[in-house]
Amino acid sequence: MLTLQRTLNILFILVLCGVALASYTYQYVTKIEPCPLCLMQRLALSGIVIALLMNLRFGIKIQNYGLAILSALLGRVVCLRQIGLHVCPEIGSFGIPILGFDLYLWSFFVFTSSIFACAVLLIIKGYSKQEEYPPTWGIVEKVVFVLVFLVTLTNTITTYLECGLFGCL
Amino acid sequence: MIAALFLIDLFCLILVALKKQNMAFSLLIINLLFCFLMLLHHTTDLFNIQ
């Protein structure tokens, strides 16, 4: 059961890193600079990933899942705000749609799925006999950490280049 | 401001690597709080003091 929780946490982190990398690919292929709301969605995504990484580093704890759900809820509210801004047909959408959906709608699906995934992980944690998962910081966890660190570093640099340190409010 | 919040995220990751659990957790909460305030600023006129 503990190995299952660890594996699911790693998979969850890798999927979210994939989403962040896909948004980068989209940004550089279409050459569209992300808006402040898009950057805030990336920030919320980063929050979920760090909360899950804390599960791997310090042992699986309910409060870490709570933090991940809070981040996902925040990202979801930001998405709703952006959907609300573009809901009128006269205003039009932002960016080029992928498979018929705008990027902020995809983002909304990602945050909703994250809340769902956290709920499933909490149920698995509830059925686990051992109180706390003993943290292991093996090679897989280290690789995942380096990947997350690189994605966050890239986010920081690209956001700084676009907005400066205190811009894009 | 968003770049500064990403910097806080980076610092948080360093704290995770150094096994400073409480500090990393608190920093992430503060980060989320600032993100929420930014959303409020973006959505309402709450911080647009003339």
Side-chain angles (χ1 to χ4, degrees):
Chain A
M1 193 70 96
L2 292 175
T3 320
L4 175 71
Q5 289 186 59
R6 175 179 165 266
T7 312
L8 287 177
N9 267 280
I10 291 171
L11 271 177
F12 197 175
I13 293 173
L14 290 179
V15 167
L16 293 182
C17 282
V19 170
L21 291 174
S23 75
Y24 273 121
T25 313
Y26 178 91
Q27 177 184 335
Y28 288 109
V29 168
T30 59
K31 293 188 172 50
I32 297 172
E33 291 284 310
C35 60
L37 285 174
C38 309
L39 292 173
M40 279 165 74
Q41 285 162 35
R42 285 184 187 179
L43 200 65
L45 202 72
S46 185
I48 303 174
V49 170
I50 294 173
L52 293 172
L53 204 64
M54 281 161 75
N55 263 340
L56 296 178
R57 185 64 170 144
F58 307 119
I60 290 177
K61 291 192 174 81
I62 291 171
Q63 57 262 42
N64 294 339
Y65 284 129
L67 202 53
I69 291 173
L70 274 181
S71 297
L73 278 175
L74 184 73
R76 209 163 171 263
V77 172
V78 175
C79 288
L80 274 178
R81 163 73 179 159
Q82 201 168 7
I83 291 168
L85 282 177
H86 295 282
V87 78
C88 296
E90 302 89 50
I91 296 172
S93 62
F94 180 78
I96 302 159
I98 298 173
L99 298 173
F101 289 126
D102 290 313
L103 219 58
Y104 40 87
L105 211 55
W106 280 114
S107 184
F108 182 79
F109 294 148
V110 167
F111 285 119
T112 309
S113 311
S114 297
I115 295 170
F116 177 78
C118 282
V120 171
L121 283 168
L122 274 171
I123 290 169
I124 294 172
K125 160 88 179 141
Y127 276 105
S128 172
K129 286 192 175 63
Q130 207 166 334
E131 274 301 305
E132 282 189 3
Y133 161 73
T136 49
W137 198 237
I139 186 79
V140 182
E141 282 89 352
K142 281 176 186 161
V143 169
V144 169
F145 177 82
V146 170
L147 180 68
V148 172
F149 192 84
L150 286 177
V151 169
T152 315
L153 186 66
T154 319
N155 263 330
T156 312
I157 293 169
T158 51
T159 311
Y160 177 75
L161 291 176
E162 190 188 335
C163 311
L165 196 59
F166 296 105
C168 284
L169 265 173
Chain B
M1 188 70 188
I2 302 177
L5 292 182
F6 272 121
L7 259 182
I8 292 177
D9 267 353
L10 268 183
F11 190 60
C12 199
L13 275 173
I14 292 167
L15 288 175
V16 169
L18 294 174
K19 284 199 103 174
K20 306 277 184 197
Q21 186 178 1
N22 290 337
M23 279 176 76
F25 194 87
S26 312
L27 211 58
L28 203 54
I29 290 272
I30 291 168
N31 199 8
L32 283 180
L33 197 69
F34 269 106
C35 196
F36 179 69
L37 288 177
M38 276 177 60
L39 179 68
L40 273 185
H41 170 75
H42 197 277
T43 320
T44 64
D45 287 336
L46 192 62
F47 301 111
N48 292 339
I49 300 161
Q50 299 293 322

